[in-house]
Amino acid sequence: MTREELKREVIRLKKEKNVLLLAHYYQEDDIQDVADFVGDSYGLSMEAAKTDKDTILFCGVHFMAETAKILNPTKKVLLPDLEAGCSLSDNCTYDDFKAFKERYPDHVVVMYINCSAAVKTISDYIVTSSNAEKIVNSIPKDKKIIFAPDRNLGRWVQKVTGREMVMWDGSCVVHEAFAMEKMMKLMNQYPEAELIAHPESTEDVLKLADFVGSTAKMLNYVKSSPKNTFIIATEAGILYKMKESSPEKILIPAPVEEENTCACSLCAYQRVNTLQKVYDTLVNETPEIFLEEEVMDKARVAIERMIEITESVNV
Ligand code: CIZ
């Protein structure tokens, strides 16, 4: 089948089988085109929680599909490739984090959503990059905090909230890949450009940035800014929606050290999902996410705490 035929089949099958197709901003363009909703992990979690469809086909990475299952456990949750992992999640295992946490018994755990369901069961607050500041600000000042697993995001949250935090030493391979020397050259070449960066980026990138924010906030910033040219430091999948919402603007992906086809930063894990696999998943209704009831019940506590604080106007 051609890509257009595949897309038509995906749209037909999801209707026939009563499937909600969710896609993260970092998915390839064709997958974003056939999705019912494209968003960040927070927005996608909220869509998953409220759907009345029978099945959720989650085009993102494993921890995101797990979160969908936890929030709506009676639904069948499918992920096109179970190998769609996350470097942050992989480097913060349950056993290692449990041992780390035991060294700080009087601390609460603020855990980035980029972790396994098992790690969520031993966390107090789940955060995403769009709500981490608000959630940390809601924690009583006398509480000591562990932040995991992204030290770059943690350092940024520490800076904007003024809260000292014990940091797990992890990072995202995509956001660690930006090449500073090439970035400076690009900024000299486009002196009118603003650099906008995701808080998972390294400290040197964040220091240079004109704006730091989550994917959804970056999208809004570009759309509402009077400026015309932007260098975008996050996974390059976001450029698809950015171009759609700001077609008149010049958007340049931040350069990476390793040359690849686009010379930009792509998440190898997000990209294991392909349009063909999306189609196959709809046909075969597998691979499916399975989690133990007890794990889901425990993990849901910290996720629901995140939602409650994020949606609250009083915090
Ligand atoms: O929260 C997410 O979905 C990620 C990975 C980044 C962001 O800022 O939205």
Side-chain angles (χ1 to χ4, degrees), residues 3 10 17 52 65 73 98 104 141 155 159 174 176 243-244 251-252 274 283:
R3 293 192 80 73
V10 166
K17 297 192 170 194
D52 56 5
K98 188 166 174 286
Y104 305 96
K141 292 271 183 292
R155 198 184 301 111
K159 188 174 154 209
V174 174
E176 290 256 314
K243 279 180 196 149
E244 212 173 81
L251 307 172
I252 308 163
T274 60
V283 171

Side-chain angles (χ1 to χ4, degrees), residues 4 13 41 72 78 127 139 145-146 153 184 192 197 213 219 227 251 265 297 308:
E4 285 316 308
L13 281 167
S41 51
N72 209 337
L78 303 170
V127 299
I139 299 172
I145 299 172
I146 296 174
L153 176 65
M184 306 292 265
E192 73 287 10
L219 266 169
K227 293 280 171 79
L251 307 172
S265 200
D297 289 346
E308 193 187 320

